[in-house]
Amino acid sequence: MSIAGDLIRGHTDAIILARLLRGDSYGYEINKMISTLSSGRFELKEATLYTAFKRLEETGCIRSYWGDSGAGARRRYYTITPEGRLTCEKLLEEWKETKEIMDKLLETEEWK
């Protein structure tokens, strides 16, 4: 079963920042990890991913730099900034609150 993009799309920044908390990475690698962790049920479209990188860079949450992959290819890597760490913490707290509310709203067990 594939996850509806609308359910996750609003959390793209949080997903990217959370991945970058684990270390610097480049777009394809981040998207591959998202696909792997979701067992192939979710993948960001390339345009969505790079629009998010641009937005996060403009707001000072991430920085980019050019690096070599070891196979001679140059890749644009992204690193999280201190501002990005704070933003990620805030977004994760918002996610936890949203999840808690949704769990309550979707509870189907009758009141006792």
Side-chain angles (χ1 to χ4, degrees):
M1 179 171 108
S2 182
I3 298 171
D6 289 345
L7 291 174
I8 296 181
R9 197 168 293 117
H11 303 284
T12 302
D13 291 357
I15 293 167
I16 291 170
L17 292 173
R19 299 314 318 153
L20 290 174
L21 281 174
R22 296 177 168 271
D24 296 3
S25 192
Y26 55 95
Y28 176 79
E29 185 176 54
I30 290 171
N31 212 12
K32 183 74 173 154
M33 184 57 61
I34 291 168
S35 178
T36 299
L37 291 172
S38 68
S39 300
R41 295 179 294 169
F42 183 71
E43 198 171 294
L44 292 171
K45 289 186 166 52
E46 193 172 315
T48 301
L49 183 66
Y50 287 98
T51 298
F53 284 144
K54 183 177 180 184
R55 179 178 54 252
L56 290 167
E57 203 163 11
E58 287 173 352
T59 59
C61 291
I62 63 173
R63 287 189 331 265
S64 65
Y65 61 92
W66 289 99
D68 292 326
S69 68
R74 291 189 65 202
R75 292 189 172 125
R76 188 176 192 127
Y77 284 82
Y78 297 91
T79 188
I80 194 166
T81 64
E83 177 67 28
R85 290 177 184 277
L86 292 173
T87 300
C88 188
E89 286 177 25
K90 177 181 166 252
L91 293 173
L92 292 176
E93 278 304 311
E94 287 176 7
W95 167 253
K96 288 176 187 173
E97 288 178 27
T98 301
K99 183 182 177 310
E100 182 180 314
I101 291 167
M102 290 303 295
D103 285 346
K104 288 178 183 176
L105 292 173
L106 298 174
E107 176 62 48
T108 59
E109 194 173 303
E110 291 192 34
W111 291 91
K112 293 182 179 184

